[in-house]
Amino acid sequence: MFRTALRNVLAHKARLLMTVLAVMLGVAFVSGTLVFTNTLSNALQNSSAKGFDQVDVAVTAESQPDVGDRIVKTPELTQALLEQSAKVPGAASAIGVVNGFTAIADKDGKLVGGGFQSQGGNYWGEKDARYPLVSGHAPSGRDEVLIDSRTAERAGYEVGDTVRISVDGPVLTPKIVGVFTTDDGNVAAGGSLALFDTASAQTLFGKPGTYDEIDVKAAAGTSQSALKSALDAALPEGQVETTTGRRLADDQAEAISASMSGMKQGLLVFAGIALFVGTFIIANTFTMLVAQRTKELALMRAVGASRRQVTRSVLIEAFVVGTVAGVSGLVAGIGIGAGLRSLLGTLGATVPDGPLVVSPGTVATAMVVGVVITMVAAWLPGRRAAKIPPVAAMSSVHAAATAKSLVLRNTLGALFSAAGVAVVLAATTMDGSDGQAPMGLGAVLLIIGVFILTPLLSRPLIAASAPVLRIFGVSGKLARQNSVRNPRRTAATASALMIGLTLITGMTVMAGSLQKSIDKMASSAIKADYVVSMANGNELSPDVDAKLKAVDGVTATSPMRNAPGRIDGNTEYLTGVTGSAFGELTDLPMDNGAFTVAGSQVAVDADTAKSYGWKAGSAFTVHYEDGKSQRLTVSGVYESNELIRGILLDNSAMTPHVEDLSDMQVMVKTSDGVSDGTKDRLEKALGSNPAIKVQSKQDLSDEIAKMFTLLLNMLYGLLAMAVIVAVLGVVNTLAMSVFERSQEIGMLRAIGLDRRSVKRMVRLESLVISLFGGVLGIGLGVFFGWAAGELLGTKMATYELVVPWGRMAVFLALAAAVGILAALWPARRASRLNMLTAIKSE
């Protein structure tokens, strides 16, 4: 039986090639994902570990828990604490670390690198071992700066150039006095790093005389743990905490692994989808192969082979196919992993150097996935073949499915589909987070149910194409009859395409609906012409509001300023606004009361009000961070959104209690409205600062739309793998169907059907099957998109369903293109059959 199985594999090499390709693509996706993420994680971990070479023990301020109604400030790391650390037994030296946001502009005035990755810090003394100088010398004073070598290369800067730099607001134009190299992870990820002398950095980052961290170097012969113990004994207990450099490196490695796991899981999900689609192709292929060898298998049964041996022979074939697919998929996956790493570089992302990592786990996973998926998919056809009685198989009376089996299949499919729809509909009535798991379960049940019902659905849906197919005469009529001749095969072929289009359509509906809801939110909640904020999402300097007020044509401004407060023993973040102008800049729907923010009157969002049992007229006491308290009254309860939420109070009431003033954003209303001239005046008033964004409501929507578009395009690219596998499935099914119908095609040619008509027949059959899968996929995708939107609508009041008719038409055209392309080779093969040889075939 083993020799027979191997002979069958070698005898059907061409027929099994598409199956090998389908499995290989899925395995390549899985192994490529593992190679890519392992390689990237290893490179980042090695790079970050180098960054701790100069740190044996790090001293940081210990966060203090809030006590009662009092907010406790975090202790400061002072110069005295630095000097004390340097004198601890076993310490060779100690340096103070200062850091903060610093934006570097290129020669065109544009921000270099991503906003949140634009960092600044201090260069310690005349020679800082953390940052080896490539050229130049140490900085002195705020008019001198060092920049990292990657940023210098990208922006075209050299030592001696003047550069525009923004540090939390003000624009500086220091001279570049040196260029350094660094293993900083932000720089490796495409960010930038600017270094000032320590005193200047402390002043610029608002930390005069204090440090963010103290790094202590151990003397020769002193271990990191011994130095940590000495520092713990010498430094104030409960105010600082110490961590060894080795622990910091390990924590960083764990953080990198955790961050990479999300990417890995996401990519593996799409690999799983491709493999799931491939499973249909494998099952279809083996079903057809077994059907074509029915008499052969029956003869084996007649001469003494048992059912188990017949099933085992089919599984051996699947094992050989899976092994070949696993090995080739692993090789292709290594190439994909290397390609993805190179792609990051071409897209502008900087990846640290390091070897390509192909772990034993990756090799084992590729082989197990390839073999197991293939054997599982082939098991049912093998088992079905073994159950056919030899006499029935030899006389071919087994071919038609019994009425009982069809009734059982349709009943099972209806039950699964009904359960899936019911669970999905029930999930739409739940709260956002509570409904996620039921929604996923319902979606799986519904897809399984539709797949089981697909043979039943194929007849009426394909019959609907009859009026169009009549245009093509005999070829069209034969194509329709061939499409419904074997409903199970048609169903399996169409289902592969259906799954891919379900996911693509569902995501498109979700993305379009989310964009519409965000546009609606911005237009309905904000009446301001412009919103000013930092590029990295950090706080603005308080003088930004003052500068904007002085611009000609500005009629109203309001900063949104955050500060902590204690209410009933809980820490709540208060939002300070200019009460007299905020009503003119926003339009927040009120649940009860009136929107009045002045003096001790505040407006509260509905969620916060519900959690405390407040309504219009309720009073409560807030305890500020300076230890003082104030009695506030709720003037009204408003409906929050993603842009504005929380407790809104007047800045005149909150600002006196805030030590470090900073604004998250500033809203601006102008007499001329939105125009290029107005935006230009506002930007110039802020010193043409590269770190500050001046955005209209349309700019805000476009920025969000850009993120959605980027994400959607990435998902389309990943799902393209599933569509490619589906195309292989259509090609495979048609090719084997043509082989099955060789005698029939020969007869048609003999009675007058020319080669062109034969080609047209096969192409139309493929087109009908592909459009059938496309219609099912788009229908399911719209349903899932609607259901997920209903779930999201519980968290986003402005959510509105948008059905992208244009894109759905494109997806249907894509399904048609898949059918036409997939039929090219099988149609050509069918038309070139020798009619006499075909008529004599069995």
Side-chain angles (χ1 to χ4, degrees):
M1 294 302 292
F2 181 74
R3 287 196 299 271
T4 302
L6 290 180
R7 178 185 61 79
N8 285 327
V9 171
L10 296 174
H12 304 113
K13 293 188 290 290
R15 300 181 214 171
L16 290 171
L17 177 62
M18 294 297 178
T19 303
V20 170
L21 284 174
V23 182
M24 185 198 77
L25 283 173
V27 173
F29 205 161
V30 172
S31 54
T33 295
L34 295 174
V35 169
F36 170 65
T37 52
N38 289 342
T39 298
L40 191 57
S41 178
N42 182 69
L44 290 172
Q45 287 177 12
N46 290 339
S47 176
S48 66
K50 291 179 184 176
F52 295 108
D53 286 347
Q54 301 301 318
V55 183
D56 285 319
V57 179
V59 180
T60 54
E62 186 173 341
S63 299
Q64 306 296 304
D66 296 336
V67 180
D69 292 323
R70 185 167 59 91
I71 295 174
V72 182
K73 288 185 62 179
T74 301
E76 295 179 337
L77 301 180
T78 62
Q79 180 65 26
L81 201 61
L82 171 69
E83 293 171 358
Q84 185 180 359
S85 301
K87 295 176 182 178
V88 167
S93 61
I95 63 172
V97 178
V98 185
N99 51 54
F101 171 70
T102 303
I104 301 176
D106 60 20
K107 292 184 176 181
D108 295 325
K110 303 298 183 182
L111 180 65
V112 178
F116 72 95
Q117 295 165 334
S118 301
Q119 298 294 318
N122 67 312
Y123 189 84
W124 189 260
E126 293 299 316
K127 188 175 182 181
D128 192 331
R130 298 173 299 168
Y131 307 112
L133 287 173
V134 176
S135 59
H137 59 82
S140 177
R142 59 192 301 167
D143 293 331
E144 294 185 351
V145 69
L146 304 178
I147 63 172
D148 68 273
S149 56
R150 295 178 193 251
T151 300
E153 182 179 351
R154 276 186 295 166
Y157 284 126
E158 296 178 351
V159 174
D161 289 344
T162 299
V163 60
R164 289 176 61 81
I165 287 180
S166 172
V167 180
D168 287 341
V171 178
L172 307 173
T173 54
K175 180 181 178 182
I176 299 174
V177 297
V179 175
F180 63 92
T181 59
T182 178
D183 293 309
D184 185 278
N186 285 316
V187 175
S192 61
L193 180 61
L195 301 178
F196 301 90
D197 69 90
T198 300
S200 298
Q202 288 175 322
T203 303
L204 289 170
F205 300 137
K207 304 160 187 173
T210 64
Y211 303 98
D212 293 298
E213 182 176 304
I214 296 172
D215 291 343
V216 186
K217 189 74 176 171
T222 303
S223 66
Q224 290 187 354
S225 56
L227 179 58
K228 180 182 183 303
S229 299
L231 286 166
D232 288 338
L235 300 181
E237 186 178 354
Q239 295 187 30
V240 298
E241 54 185 347
T242 58
T243 313
T244 63
R246 191 176 300 106
R247 178 72 261 173
L248 289 172
D250 291 344
D251 290 344
Q252 184 79 353
E254 289 177 13
I256 290 171
S257 295
S259 64
M260 293 301 296
S261 68
M263 180 193 296
K264 182 185 294 185
Q265 289 171 6
L267 291 172
L268 287 176
V269 165
F270 289 96
I273 292 169
L275 284 168
F276 185 57
V277 172
T279 303
F280 292 118
I281 299 172
I282 301 164
N284 223 11
T285 302
F286 276 94
T287 298
M288 295 168 74
L289 286 174
V290 168
Q292 291 169 12
R293 291 180 7 235
T294 299
K295 289 186 178 181
E296 174 191 326
L297 294 175
L299 182 61
M300 291 169 59
R301 289 287 313 282
V303 298
S306 66
R307 287 184 178 182
R308 184 173 297 177
Q309 285 178 308
V310 171
T311 304
R312 192 181 300 149
S313 71
V314 175
L315 290 177
I316 291 171
E317 289 182 53
F319 175 80
V320 173
V321 170
T323 302
V324 172
V327 171
S328 55
L330 175 63
V331 173
I334 294 171
I336 289 173
L340 285 173
R341 178 173 174 174
S342 299
L343 180 63
L344 283 182
T346 60
L347 294 176
T350 308
V351 182
D353 295 330
L356 201 66
V357 178
V358 184
S359 66
T362 300
V363 176
T365 300
M367 296 308 300
V368 168
V369 167
V371 172
V372 170
I373 290 290
T374 309
M375 292 184 70
V376 168
W379 175 76
L380 189 58
R383 183 172 177 271
R384 191 184 296 135
K387 291 176 68 175
I388 300 171
V391 175
M394 286 180 178
S395 58
S396 297
V397 298
H398 68 288
T402 64
K404 180 180 177 182
S405 69
L406 290 175
V407 170
L408 179 63
R409 178 181 181 125
N410 294 336
T411 302
L412 194 61
L415 290 173
F416 268 96
S417 299
V421 171
V423 173
V424 168
L425 292 177
T428 60
T429 63
M430 300 179 184
D431 186 62
S433 54
D434 295 336
Q436 290 177 1
M439 180 77 72
L441 174 63
V444 171
L445 290 174
L446 181 54
I447 287 176
I448 292 173
V450 171
F451 169 66
I452 296 173
L453 284 176
T454 307
L456 178 66
L457 297 173
S458 65
R459 290 187 179 276
L461 287 178
I462 291 176
S465 66
V468 178
L469 292 176
R470 285 197 193 102
I471 299 172
F472 300 96
V474 174
S475 297
K477 183 178 180 180
L478 290 172
R480 184 180 65 80
Q481 291 174 346
N482 290 334
S483 301
V484 296
R485 176 182 296 182
N486 192 329
R488 288 185 175 181
R489 183 188 303 167
T490 298
T493 306
S495 295
L497 191 59
M498 175 192 79
I499 291 171
L501 285 178
T502 296
L503 294 167
I504 290 173
T505 305
M507 290 187 303
T508 303
V509 170
M510 282 288 294
S513 301
L514 279 170
Q515 181 58 47
K516 177 73 173 179
S517 67
I518 289 169
D519 289 346
K520 187 176 178 182
M521 182 191 304
S523 60
S524 62
I526 299 178
K527 293 194 291 184
D529 294 321
Y530 292 97
V531 176
V532 180
S533 60
M534 292 290 283
N536 67 333
N538 279 4
E539 298 87 355
L540 286 163
S541 172
D543 65 349
V544 169
D545 181 49
K547 290 179 179 178
L548 292 170
K549 281 180 180 177
V551 176
D552 289 339
V554 172
T555 58
T557 67
S558 175
M560 294 184 69
R561 185 171 296 164
N562 287 347
R566 298 282 288 177
I567 301 172
D568 295 342
N570 301 317
T571 298
E572 296 284 351
Y573 276 86
L574 314 171
T575 302
V577 299
T578 303
S580 58
F582 203 69
E584 184 181 347
L585 297 165
T586 59
D587 185 15
L588 299 173
M590 302 301 295
D591 284 353
N592 66 77
F595 187 87
T596 303
V597 178
S600 62
Q601 290 189 300
V602 301
V604 182
D605 71 290
D607 290 338
T608 304
K610 182 179 179 181
S611 65
Y612 285 100
W614 295 337
K615 59 183 179 180
S618 298
F620 62 92
T621 300
V622 61
H623 300 269
Y624 297 106
E625 60 181 335
D626 64 353
K628 296 181 180 179
S629 60
Q630 184 179 11
R631 191 72 174 167
L632 301 176
T633 303
V634 178
S635 65
V637 177
Y638 67 91
E639 293 181 13
S640 64
N641 54 57
E642 298 302 311
L643 303 174
I644 303 170
R645 61 176 62 246
I647 302 172
L648 304 177
L649 71 160
D650 196 88
N651 274 324
S652 62
M654 189 184 80
T655 300
H657 306 287
V658 180
E659 293 186 9
D660 298 321
L661 288 180
S662 59
D663 301 328
M664 293 305 298
Q665 62 186 32
V666 179
M667 294 185 179
V668 182
K669 187 79 172 174
T670 64
S671 56
D672 298 335
V674 176
S675 68
D676 291 339
T678 302
K679 185 175 182 178
D680 188 54
R681 288 201 304 273
L682 295 175
E683 289 178 340
K684 285 183 178 178
L686 298 173
S688 299
N689 194 321
I692 297 180
K693 298 187 295 184
V694 179
Q695 296 176 296
S696 64
K697 288 185 285 187
Q698 188 60 49
D699 292 334
L700 288 170
S701 295
D702 290 345
E703 184 178 58
I704 296 168
K706 190 183 296 183
M707 291 189 294
F708 277 127
T709 303
L710 177 63
L711 179 61
L712 202 59
N713 288 339
M714 288 174 58
L715 295 177
Y716 283 164
L718 293 169
L719 283 172
M721 183 71 73
V723 175
I724 291 171
V725 173
V727 172
L728 291 175
V730 179
V731 174
N732 209 16
T733 300
L734 288 174
M736 299 186 76
S737 178
V738 166
F739 177 83
E740 270 188 345
R741 303 202 309 264
S742 295
Q743 189 179 56
E744 174 189 320
I745 292 171
M747 289 293 294
L748 290 171
R749 292 274 288 112
I751 61 176
L753 198 67
D754 59 18
R755 288 186 173 182
R756 181 177 296 178
S757 297
V758 171
K759 281 185 179 180
R760 187 182 300 126
M761 175 187 71
V762 176
R763 288 171 184 164
L764 289 173
E765 179 184 350
S766 175
L767 181 63
V768 167
I769 292 173
S770 296
L771 285 175
F772 170 54
V775 168
L776 284 181
I778 291 171
L780 283 173
V782 171
F783 175 70
F784 289 140
W786 165 81
E790 289 293 303
L791 198 62
L792 189 62
T794 61
K795 296 291 186 182
M796 187 178 288
T798 56
Y799 185 85
E800 179 182 335
L801 178 68
V802 175
V803 180
W805 298 106
R807 291 209 175 191
M808 285 165 57
V810 171
F811 296 155
L812 202 58
L814 173 66
V818 165
I820 293 170
L821 291 173
L824 291 177
W825 177 60
R828 184 171 179 271
R829 182 184 178 194
S831 68
R832 292 170 66 89
L833 283 174
N834 183 292
M835 68 179 74
L836 295 178
T837 304
I839 290 171
K840 290 189 294 182
S841 67
E842 295 185 3

